[in-house]
Amino acid sequence: MNTLFGEKKEGATKIVFTKVDEYPEAPISLGTTLSNFTGDWRTFIPIINEDKCVKCYICWKFCPEPAIYIKDDGYVAVDYDYCKGCGICANECPTNAITMEKEEK
Amino acid sequence: MEYKPIRKVVSGNYAAAYAVKDARVQVVAAYPITPQTSIIEKIAEFLANGEVENLQYVPVESEHSAMAATIGASATGARAFTATSAQGLALMHEMLHWAAGARLPIVMVDVNRAMAPPWSVWDDQTDSLAQRDTGWMQFYAENNQEVYDGVLMAFKIAETVNVPAMVVESAFILSHTYDVVEMIPQELVDEFLPPRKPLYTLTNFDNPISVGALATPADYYEFRYKLAKAHEKAKKVIKEVGKEFGEMFGRDYSQMIELYRTDDADFVFMGMGSLMGTVKQAVDILREEGYKVGAAKVRWFRPFPKEELYELAKNVQGIAVLDRNFSFGQEGILFTEAKGALYNTGAKPLMKNYIVGLGGRDFTVNDVRKIADNMKAVIEKGEIDVEVDWYHLKR
Ligand code: SF4
Ligand code: SF4
C-alpha cells in the first residue's frame, strides 16, 4: 500500500523511493485521492440488495469516503476504489439492504 | 538606494510588529496573551489605519487554533506570522510539530514568560526551550533592535530552508521597554526579503496535493532525516543571511554565537537573550577592574552552533553558563546543550551552571561580578564547587 505518493488516476501506480534523495523535501502526496485509493484498506465489502433499497440515501449521506454514488436509475452503488469497508452504510441502512461480506482478494 | 535608517522609539513588541509590517506578512493569526498582546494589537492597528496592504488578520479562540490557522495560511504559500507567550506556546506544542514537519517557514515571536504555577507573567526561557525538539529554529534577541532585525532575518532564513523559526524576546524587559530601534525603509526590506517562493501550495488546483499525509514505516524515517539536514543547512544560511544583513544595514549577525571581548579571556559568561546585555556591560566594568573575562551570547539555540562553541571552548579555561531556565531533574538547558556539544571535541574548559533570573528575578551587573569572583576561584582551584548553582536563592 502506498499512502504518500502517486500519479494521477490514469494508470495509477505506486512510486517507491529507494534512496533518500528521491523523496520530496516536504511530506506531501501528489494527486491526493486521485491516486491514493482508500479502497486498498478494505477487509469487508458492502453488497447492496436493490430489492430492499427504498432510495432514502442515508447510506450516501453517512459514508465517510466519497464511495457511495447515486446511479441514473436512483439506486445507490459503491465505488470500490474508495470504499474502505467500514460498514457504516450497512449499519445505517433502515431496511438492511446492505450487508458486509468478507472480501476475497 | 542608500540606507538611511528610520529611528523610532518603540517597545520590543512594537519592534516585532513593525518588522511584520515591513516583511509584508500576508496572514497573521493570533490570540492575545500577556505579555505578547501589544504585538498583535499593533498589527491590528496597522490594519485598521490602512498602513498594511494584503494582510489577513485572523482572530482565533486559542493558541492551538492560532498555530493551526498559521499553518493553513503558510501551506497556501502565504507569508504567515503569529506571536505568543508561555502557556500559549505550550498550548501550541502539537501544532509546532506540524509546522516543522510540513516544512512551513512560519515565523513566530515568543515573548519569554515563566510557566505557571505559580502564576507569573515575567521573564523566563523555559517556555521556548521546552519546544526545543519540535523542529523549529530559535533566535534569542538581546534588545529591541534584535527583535526587529531577528524577525526580518528569520523570514529570509526560514524561507530558504523551509523550516519555521521562533524569534524570542524577554517579557517586559524587552516586550514593554522602549528603546531606539533603527528600522529599514520598505524598499530596502523588499530588496533583502523578496516575496516567498513556496515549495508547494495548496492552491495549485491543476496539481492537487495533500499535506502531511500518512507515512508508513517505509517512509517516515527519511522525512525526519530531511528535516535534520535542513537544520544543518540552516547553519550556513544563517551565517550568510546574517552577513548580508550586516553589509546592507550595518549590524552583522554572521556569528551564531556573538563573542564579546573573548579573545584573551580566561573565562567567559555564556547565555541567551536580554540578560546578555547586562553581561556585556559587566564585562566592560570587570575588564577595567582587571578581570580577563568575555561574553558569549548564543543567538541561535536551534540549530545549535556546536562548531562555534568548540572554537570558543578550546581557547578559554572556563565557561559560566547563565541559564534563565531549568530542566527539572537535570540542570539548566543551555548548560546541558553546551556540555553535550563539547564532549567528543577534546575542548574541556571548566563549566559551571548558574541558574539566574527565573520568573523575572532581577539580574544585575553586580550579580555578574559575584559570579566572576566565584568562577575565578573555581578556575584557580581547578575544580568546580557545585555544578548547578541556584545563585539567587535566599539562604
Ligand atoms: S463500507 Fe464504509 S466506506 Fe464503504 S461504502 Fe459503506 S460507509 Fe462507505
Ligand atoms: S440506506 Fe439502504 S435503503 Fe437507503 S439508499 Fe442506502 S441502501 Fe437504499
Side-chain angles (χ1 to χ4, degrees):
Chain A
M1 180 182 70
N2 177 55
T3 48
L4 268 171
F5 311 99
E7 287 160 356
K8 295 210 170 167
K9 195 169 178 178
E10 292 82 27
T13 45
K14 50 180 170 180
I15 302 171
V16 178
F17 294 118
T18 54
K19 288 195 170 63
V20 64
D21 291 342
E22 294 167 1
Y23 280 81
E25 199 56 26
I28 54 165
S29 55
L30 310 171
T32 61
T33 52
L34 291 173
S35 61
N36 296 327
F37 299 146
T38 44
D40 285 2
W41 305 1
R42 195 170 54 232
T43 307
F44 289 91
I45 190 165
I47 306 290
I48 294 169
N49 179 355
E50 291 189 357
D51 293 342
K52 288 191 183 176
C53 175
V54 295
K55 301 181 180 175
C56 68
Y57 307 137
I58 289 174
C59 58
W60 174 77
K61 278 185 204 140
F62 274 75
C63 174
E65 298 294 331
I68 291 186
Y69 60 96
I70 300 165
K71 295 186 293 179
D72 290 345
D73 62 7
Y75 286 107
V76 290
V78 179
D79 181 342
Y80 290 113
D81 278 350
Y82 296 108
C83 167
K84 63 188 180 188
C86 66
I88 291 173
C89 53
N91 193 54
E92 295 297 335
C93 173
T95 65
N96 295 324
I98 306 177
T99 50
M100 300 300 292
E101 291 176 17
K102 187 101 186 258
E103 186 178 21
E104 303 298 330
K105 289 203 180 171
Chain B
M1 182 182 160
E2 205 202 329
Y3 169 51
K4 280 205 202 72
I6 304 159
R7 289 195 179 82
K8 284 196 167 79
V9 179
V10 289
S11 66
N13 279 356
Y14 283 5
Y18 275 101
V20 167
K21 174 172 168 279
D22 294 348
R24 297 191 188 274
V25 169
Q26 292 155 301
V27 180
V28 174
Y31 185 85
I33 181 170
T34 303
Q36 160 264 41
T37 311
S38 55
I39 298 178
I40 57 169
E41 275 177 355
K42 190 71 182 169
I43 294 170
E45 191 184 303
F46 289 144
L47 194 63
N49 294 343
E51 291 175 67
V52 281
E53 290 161 27
N54 304 324
L55 174 77
Q56 292 287 321
Y57 184 94
V58 191
V60 286
E61 90 296 353
S62 79
E63 285 85 353
H64 191 274
S65 307
M67 186 43 65
T70 310
I71 287 169
S74 189
T76 67
R79 183 169 286 162
F81 174 87
T82 189
T84 192
S85 285
Q87 317 296 123
L89 182 63
L91 187 53
M92 281 181 184
H93 173 76
E94 183 225 349
M95 285 286 128
L96 297 187
H97 281 282
W98 270 92
R103 305 293 300 277
L104 299 169
I106 296 163
V107 170
M108 160 162 70
V109 168
D110 176 56
V111 184
N112 263 158
R113 164 187 146 183
M115 296 299 297
W119 202 244
S120 167
V121 293
W122 291 275
D123 190 23
D124 189 304
Q125 296 164 337
T126 311
D127 64 341
S128 52
L129 290 170
Q131 309 306 327
R132 186 188 66 174
D133 304 331
T134 55
W136 281 60
M137 298 187 283
Q138 294 195 357
F139 173 88
Y140 285 79
E142 180 196 318
N143 49 42
N144 296 358
Q145 183 70 57
E146 291 194 358
V147 175
Y148 177 84
D149 296 348
V151 169
L152 295 180
M153 284 188 289
F155 272 114
K156 180 148 177 157
I157 294 158
E159 290 171 12
T160 307
V161 294
N162 292 292
V163 175
M166 206 181 280
V167 173
V168 186
E169 57 161 316
S170 33
F172 300 105
I173 296 169
L174 300 188
S175 70
H176 287 64
T177 305
Y178 282 65
D179 197 358
V180 179
V181 172
E182 292 195 348
M183 297 188 190
I184 301 164
Q186 186 68 62
E187 304 87 89
L188 286 177
V189 176
D190 292 346
E191 201 177 296
F192 172 75
L193 184 65
R196 178 183 163 202
K197 288 196 199 74
L199 265 183
Y200 58 81
T201 97
L202 276 181
T203 45
N204 180 351
F205 299 118
D206 295 329
N207 275 310
I209 54 161
S210 51
V211 173
L214 178 70
T216 64
D219 296 310
Y220 184 85
Y221 189 93
E222 275 67 25
F223 285 111
R224 290 285 76 93
Y225 176 82
K226 291 228 160 203
L227 182 52
K229 279 283 150 194
H231 269 262
E232 277 307 309
K233 185 181 165 196
K235 288 185 187 174
K236 199 171 152 266
V237 174
I238 284 168
K239 287 172 201 157
E240 285 166 5
V241 169
K243 187 162 176 276
E244 185 190 346
F245 196 93
E247 282 161 5
M248 286 181 79
F249 312 119
R251 291 180 296 278
D252 183 273
Y253 289 89
S254 59
Q255 293 178 323
M256 294 177 75
I257 302 178
E258 184 193 335
L259 301 177
Y260 185 75
R261 306 187 75 167
T262 57
D263 275 352
D264 61 337
D266 291 338
F267 64 94
V268 296
F269 307 98
M270 193 165 91
M272 304 192 292
S274 63
L275 68 85
M276 292 310 286
T278 306
V279 170
K280 284 197 241 170
Q281 196 196 347
V283 164
D284 288 344
I285 295 167
L286 290 171
R287 282 263 174 189
E288 277 173 30
E289 294 171 6
Y291 294 80
K292 279 171 81 181
V293 291
K297 181 178 81 185
V298 176
R299 282 190 175 124
W300 291 89
F301 178 75
R302 279 290 179 274
F304 193 72
K306 260 210 258 223
E307 302 77 9
E308 288 183 29
L309 176 63
Y310 168 64
E311 288 304 318
L312 167 72
K314 65 183 183 187
N315 295 318
V316 294
Q317 294 167 42
I319 302 180
V321 181
L322 312 175
D323 267 307
R324 190 167 223 154
N325 60 73
F326 197 73
S327 174
F328 299 100
Q330 182 64 340
E331 57 205 5
I333 298 167
L334 180 60
F335 186 57
T336 302
E337 295 281 333
K339 271 193 315 178
L342 292 174
Y343 185 78
N344 277 334
T345 64
K348 296 271 187 291
L350 278 174
M351 293 181 74
K352 185 173 165 181
N353 192 195
Y354 298 87
I355 306 302
V356 299
L358 298 187
R361 180 69 56 91
D362 211 7
F363 181 69
T364 65
V365 167
N366 209 28
D367 294 322
V368 184
R369 180 185 283 109
K370 284 185 196 158
I371 289 172
D373 285 335
N374 176 258
M375 204 55 200
K376 212 172 153 191
V378 161
I379 288 171
E380 271 159 23
K381 213 161 164 244
E383 63 182 70
I384 49 171
D385 42 4
V386 30
E387 197 171 37
V388 181
D389 193 337
W390 283 74
Y391 167 77
H392 298 291
L393 207 61
K394 293 167 186 162
R395 292 176 227 258

